[in-house]
Each structure stands twice: as C-alpha cells, then as structure tokens.
Amino acid sequence: MQLKSSWTCACQDAEDTTARTSKGQEHVMISGAHVILYSQDAEADRAFLRDVLDFPGVDAGGGWLIFKLPPAEVAVHPTDGPPQHEFYLMCDDLDAQLGEFRAQGVEITRPVSEQRWGRLTAIRLPSGAELPLYEPLHPVAHSL
C-alpha cells in the first residue's frame, strides 16, 4: 500500500514558499501542516504508521518519529458545542483499502456508513484508539 505524498502550501510551485503582499513585499507562505496524535502506546502506533500505513518518516531525535502524510485538506464546520478537531485518512477506494487492512490483520471498528459527503469507517490503532477513514464523494481540495 502506498500513501506517500506531502502536503505543502497551495502555491503553483510547491518549492516556492514566498509570495508578494499587496504592497509588493515578500513574505513566507504556510509550507505544511503538522498533525499530532496523542496515544496511550505511542511506540506501537508509530510502528503502525511506519509498517502498516507505510508512511515514510524521519527521526527527529531519540527515536521520535515524524511521518510524511499524503496530501491533505482542511474544512471548518459550524458547531453549537465546544470547538474540537478531527483527523481522518482519505482513500480513493474504501473497499479495496479495507481488503488490504484485513489482509494485514488490522481491525475494522465500524461498518461502512454511507454519508452524503462520503463512505465512512474506522480502523483500530495498536494503542486501541480509532482512526477514521473515508472515501470522499465531495470534490477534494488536496490536489489543487
């Protein structure tokens, strides 16, 4: 399974992270996003990201792994409750992806549900946490 890409700024040339302001001054653009997953078993979850999801990574020192993610997008949803954040992995073919996960012994924790925006399920990380996964039915922004 290959999920290897990085999220960069929404620039024509991802290597060029500078832009001109309306006054002609140069400034640095956002160059990426850093997602943090808090875990009761960080070592096992890191191994899962590396070995099962096949995310490449770097050692930031002392075995502290940071992984490259596939392309990403962000959405802001209204809420009447307290603000919160969610993290989902996306795939192009949910049924095929679930077949690969099952073949690797990954627990599927939710039956696939059909939402107006996509097909949703979740997998179990070694720490016991759930990681939602969906096949979007909406237009995606990650490859703009």
Side-chain angles (χ1 to χ4, degrees), residues 81-141:
Q84 64 180 13
H85 309 289
E86 297 178 349
F87 178 69
Y88 292 78
L89 292 180
M90 297 166 63
C91 65
D92 295 329
D93 183 341
L94 188 60
D95 295 325
Q97 186 63 67
L98 291 177
E100 287 186 36
F101 282 145
R102 286 184 185 101
Q104 293 177 310
V106 175
E107 179 187 355
I108 312 303
T109 60
R110 300 182 204 169
V112 175
S113 66
E114 305 288 335
Q115 308 296 323
R116 67 174 177 73
W117 45 268
R119 302 179 65 228
L120 176 67
T121 188
I123 59 174
R124 177 89 54 217
L125 293 176
S127 65
E130 271 193 337
L131 182 57
L133 174 71
Y134 84 102
E135 177 183 337
L137 298 177
H138 60 79
V140 295

